[in-house]
């Protein structure tokens, strides 16, 4: 196994960890994710090197992660940032009924 293919394996494993975190956060918020899809980029120095799309039956949301998020997702401070980012994105997937912004008296 080459160094490059080993690094790619680590990235894929990190993506699986992040997907598992997303599914758990969604479950806690009462949201069912139907799919988490990754596009593992090749420009690893770029801030948005890797793309994750999360889907429900009705909506989707897209997130970008730097390479370090995928190569070391279990580092405590990084994991907290990942969880916060996922939580904010998953909140956008919640179905809400429109609420009136004014009322008639």
């Amino acid at each position: 196994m080459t160094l490059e293919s080993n690094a790619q394996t680590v990235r894929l494993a990190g993506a699986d960890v992040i997907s598992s975190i997303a599914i758990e956060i969604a479950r806690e918020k009462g949201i069912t994710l139907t799919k988490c899809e990754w596009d593992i980029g090749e420009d690893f120095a770029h801030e948005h090197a890797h793309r994750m799309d999360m889907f429900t039956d009705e909506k989707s949301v897209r997130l970008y992660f730097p390479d370090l998020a995928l190569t070391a997702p279990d580092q405590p401070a990084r994991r907290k940032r990942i969880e916060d980012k996922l939580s904010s994105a998953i909140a956008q997937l919640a179905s809400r009924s429109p609420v009136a912004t004014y009322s008639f008296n």
Side-chain angles (χ1 to χ4, degrees):
M1 183 177 275
T2 67
L3 183 60
E4 187 173 316
S5 65
N6 186 38
Q8 190 69 359
T9 301
V10 169
R11 286 182 187 94
L12 292 172
D16 286 342
V17 168
I18 293 171
S19 294
S20 296
I21 295 169
I23 291 166
E24 183 60 32
I25 291 171
R27 187 176 302 129
E28 290 171 2
K29 293 180 182 260
I31 297 169
T32 303
L33 292 180
T34 56
K35 181 169 63 167
C36 293
E37 191 173 272
W38 283 91
D39 178 9
I40 306 296
E42 295 182 15
D43 182 8
F44 304 127
H46 194 270
E47 177 67 20
H48 305 295
H50 310 294
R51 186 183 77 218
M52 176 190 195
D53 295 309
M54 294 184 289
F55 299 89
T56 66
D57 287 334
E58 299 146 358
K59 297 181 180 182
S60 67
V61 68
R62 177 172 286 173
L63 296 167
Y64 294 91
F65 290 92
D67 197 49
L68 279 174
L70 271 65
T71 56
D74 289 326
Q75 192 269 343
R78 189 165 295 118
R79 184 178 178 102
K80 174 75 171 119
R81 284 192 300 273
I82 290 168
E83 288 173 350
D84 290 347
K85 187 176 205 173
L86 290 170
S87 185
S88 294
I90 289 168
Q92 295 176 42
L93 295 172
S95 294
R96 294 183 190 96
S97 299
V99 177
T101 56
Y102 57 89
S103 63
F104 295 102
N105 293 330

